Amino acid sequence: EYSSIIENVLNKKIIGKLTNFREIFEYIMTLAENKQMNVAIDEFQEFKNINPAIYSDMQNIWDDYKLKSKINLILSGSIYPMMSKIFENAKEPLYGRADKKIALSHFDVETLKEIYTEYAEYDPYNFISFYAITGGVAKYIELLCNEKAMSLDKMLDLIVSDGSFFLNEGRDVLIEEFGKDYHIYFSILSLISDSKTSRSEIESILEKSVGGYLEKLEKEYRIIKRQKPAFSKPKTKNIKYFIDDNFLNFWFRFIYKNSSAIEIKNFGYVKNYIIRNFNTFLGKILEKYFKEKLALSGEFSYIDSYWDKKSENEIDIVALNEVEKRAVLVETKLNKDRINLQLLKNKGKKLANYLLNYEVEYKGLGFEDV
């Protein structure tokens, strides 16, 4: 297949027969000695399943030809942890070979709003639901927009249905990467998505030490992030974990948790379960949304959350402009009328030592501010 593509695109007949990828790759590199070429290989991580020796072959050929071949080689993949391992793990053959790396991020919230309003009349609740489920990831956005599923009800009809792409997406993305221990990782991620965010909470439920698993999820797989309260010391143990990807957070909270109902195709039950619990889920998503929106404003040098050791005093967002000595403390709620700014000010007093000489503003943010 590669041979026929090369012949058709370059209009150059291959003499002899190329029987494996090593020969194909070396042939391309030799052609590029006399002609500038762009070569792109998508889903590059899949070679690991097909024939991992290809990476070693490519390393040897690349090292031999890179200075004399006029080639722009683009290697892309959809599974970030595997792509990262191929090029950033010192034990891998292609370690150190990449001249430039691009970690393609999700659409930011302002861009996502532009996309949403091209397909539907703007509605804050449906838009934040759209953000909560897609997280700004192009593939998920495309699937929902193509089906004009722009309200929560229509989104759930599409997602929780027979043959839905979304039902197996979390499993398809992660199960191969986690290997035989996938059920432990899945259990941890399910608990984190259900607001069991401290290591002690997770271990008490699973009755198992999970430190090693959390470290891998954070540093190797980059699925979770650890969060320390604002102004905490570097070695604090007052740490919470959260799933960084909105869709995986949604998938573990609602799809994986209802695997049995999905297996027997009781989609009505699953949809009703999501609707009953969705607003609770949206609470933390709204906080994340406003953090991203504040970051995009360019006004702040530091944005985080605060909670004390007993989690009795929590402040959703602490945003600082350290040059202008200006601080904004924010409480977020779906229903803005339920925000008590006086209570927020009382909580803010706990940060008085950290905010000396700062002008402090207290804000409540809800759906109408989305």
Side-chain angles (χ1 to χ4, degrees), residues 145-166:
C145 289
N146 284 347
E147 296 297 324
K148 295 183 171 56
M150 309 306 285
S151 67
L152 177 61
D153 194 56
K154 288 182 178 179
M155 288 179 222
L156 295 183
D157 281 342
L158 178 65
I159 292 166
V160 188
S161 62
D162 200 12
S164 165
F165 165 87
F166 294 95

Side-chain angles (χ1 to χ4, degrees), residues 122-231:
Y122 181 71
D123 174 84
Y125 185 81
N126 286 326
F127 170 67
I128 206 69
S129 301
F130 186 70
Y131 167 73
I133 291 170
T134 68
V137 174
K139 180 65 176 177
Y140 308 144
I141 293 168
E142 179 186 32
L143 289 168
L144 294 179
C145 289
N146 284 347
E147 296 297 324
K148 295 183 171 56
M150 309 306 285
S151 67
L152 177 61
D153 194 56
K154 288 182 178 179
M155 288 179 222
L156 295 183
D157 281 342
L158 178 65
I159 292 166
V160 188
S161 62
D162 200 12
S164 165
F165 165 87
F166 294 95
L167 292 182
N168 289 318
E169 173 69 351
R171 196 181 303 274
D172 291 345
V173 168
L174 299 175
I175 199 167
E176 186 178 315
E177 184 68 13
F178 291 155
K180 60 184 175 59
D181 288 335
Y182 81 89
H183 59 286
I184 300 173
Y185 287 112
F186 275 36
S187 296
I188 292 170
L189 291 169
S190 180
L191 289 172
I192 292 173
S193 72
D194 201 18
S195 300
K196 309 297 188 295
T197 55
S198 70
R199 177 176 170 177
S200 58
E201 282 180 298
I202 297 167
E203 289 183 338
S204 67
I205 294 169
L206 296 183
E207 298 182 344
K208 179 182 182 67
S209 176
V210 298
Y213 296 102
L214 289 171
E215 186 173 4
K216 276 195 167 184
L217 283 169
E218 179 194 1
K219 295 180 180 177
E220 184 174 333
Y221 301 123
R222 303 189 191 188
I223 293 169
I224 65 173
K225 284 188 176 179
R226 62 166 60 204
Q227 188 176 13
K228 300 180 292 185
F231 310 114

Side-chain angles (χ1 to χ4, degrees), residues 160 167 254-271 273:
V160 188
L167 292 182
F254 296 115
I255 305 301
Y256 178 70
K257 195 167 189 174
N258 288 289
S259 297
S260 297
I262 289 169
E263 283 177 14
I264 61 173
K265 300 189 177 183
N266 192 349
F267 300 123
Y269 170 87
V270 178
K271 184 179 175 183
Y273 177 88

Side-chain angles (χ1 to χ4, degrees), residues 28-285:
I28 290 172
M29 295 296 285
T30 58
L31 290 179
E33 288 183 272
N34 301 310
K35 182 177 183 178
Q36 186 171 327
M37 292 171 58
N38 299 308
V39 177
I41 303 175
D42 193 18
E43 299 299 359
F44 185 67
Q45 78 280 345
E46 289 302 324
F47 278 135
K48 205 166 192 69
N49 300 319
I50 298 164
N51 180 6
I54 283 174
Y55 298 136
S56 296
D57 293 339
M58 289 184 73
Q59 174 210 339
N60 294 328
I61 294 166
W62 181 258
D63 290 348
D64 285 344
Y65 286 91
K66 66 178 180 180
L67 295 178
K68 52 189 175 182
S69 291
K70 305 168 190 173
I71 193 165
N72 176 33
L73 181 62
I74 303 165
L75 307 171
S76 58
S78 58
I79 302 178
Y80 182 82
M82 290 180 72
M83 289 293 289
S84 178
K85 186 176 181 182
I86 289 167
F87 294 102
E88 296 178 7
N89 187 321
K91 295 179 181 178
E92 294 291 324
L94 293 175
Y95 172 75
R97 274 19 182 231
D99 297 306
K100 181 173 285 191
K101 301 171 194 169
I102 301 173
L104 191 63
S105 186
H106 54 76
F107 290 125
D108 64 55
V109 293
E110 295 300 337
T111 305
L112 189 63
K113 188 181 289 186
E114 288 181 31
I115 295 169
Y116 183 87
T117 52
E118 284 185 16
Y119 288 83
E121 185 177 343
Y122 181 71
D123 174 84
Y125 185 81
N126 286 326
F127 170 67
I128 206 69
S129 301
F130 186 70
Y131 167 73
I133 291 170
T134 68
V137 174
K139 180 65 176 177
Y140 308 144
I141 293 168
E142 179 186 32
L143 289 168
L144 294 179
C145 289
N146 284 347
E147 296 297 324
K148 295 183 171 56
M150 309 306 285
S151 67
L152 177 61
D153 194 56
K154 288 182 178 179
M155 288 179 222
L156 295 183
D157 281 342
L158 178 65
I159 292 166
V160 188
S161 62
D162 200 12
S164 165
F165 165 87
F166 294 95
L167 292 182
N168 289 318
E169 173 69 351
R171 196 181 303 274
D172 291 345
V173 168
L174 299 175
I175 199 167
E176 186 178 315
E177 184 68 13
F178 291 155
K180 60 184 175 59
D181 288 335
Y182 81 89
H183 59 286
I184 300 173
Y185 287 112
F186 275 36
S187 296
I188 292 170
L189 291 169
S190 180
L191 289 172
I192 292 173
S193 72
D194 201 18
S195 300
K196 309 297 188 295
T197 55
S198 70
R199 177 176 170 177
S200 58
E201 282 180 298
I202 297 167
E203 289 183 338
S204 67
I205 294 169
L206 296 183
E207 298 182 344
K208 179 182 182 67
S209 176
V210 298
Y213 296 102
L214 289 171
E215 186 173 4
K216 276 195 167 184
L217 283 169
E218 179 194 1
K219 295 180 180 177
E220 184 174 333
Y221 301 123
R222 303 189 191 188
I223 293 169
I224 65 173
K225 284 188 176 179
R226 62 166 60 204
Q227 188 176 13
K228 300 180 292 185
F231 310 114
S232 59
K233 295 178 180 178
K235 293 186 178 180
T236 181
K237 294 183 179 179
N238 187 12
I239 290 169
K240 293 181 179 181
Y241 294 91
F242 65 96
I243 298 173
D244 194 35
D245 182 279
N246 280 17
F247 176 76
L248 287 179
N249 200 11
F250 171 85
W251 191 86
F252 278 104
R253 177 70 178 83
F254 296 115
I255 305 301
Y256 178 70
K257 195 167 189 174
N258 288 289
S259 297
S260 297
I262 289 169
E263 283 177 14
I264 61 173
K265 300 189 177 183
N266 192 349
F267 300 123
Y269 170 87
V270 178
K271 184 179 175 183
N272 287 334
Y273 177 88
I274 296 172
I275 290 170
R276 280 200 310 271
N277 295 280
F278 197 69
N279 280 0
T280 303
F281 173 75
L282 274 186
K284 293 302 287 183
I285 294 293

Side-chain angles (χ1 to χ4, degrees), residues 334-345:
L334 303 186
N335 184 352
K336 192 173 179 178
D337 293 336
R338 294 179 56 205
I339 295 174
N340 185 333
L341 285 182
Q342 186 56 53
L343 182 60
L344 178 60
K345 289 176 183 178

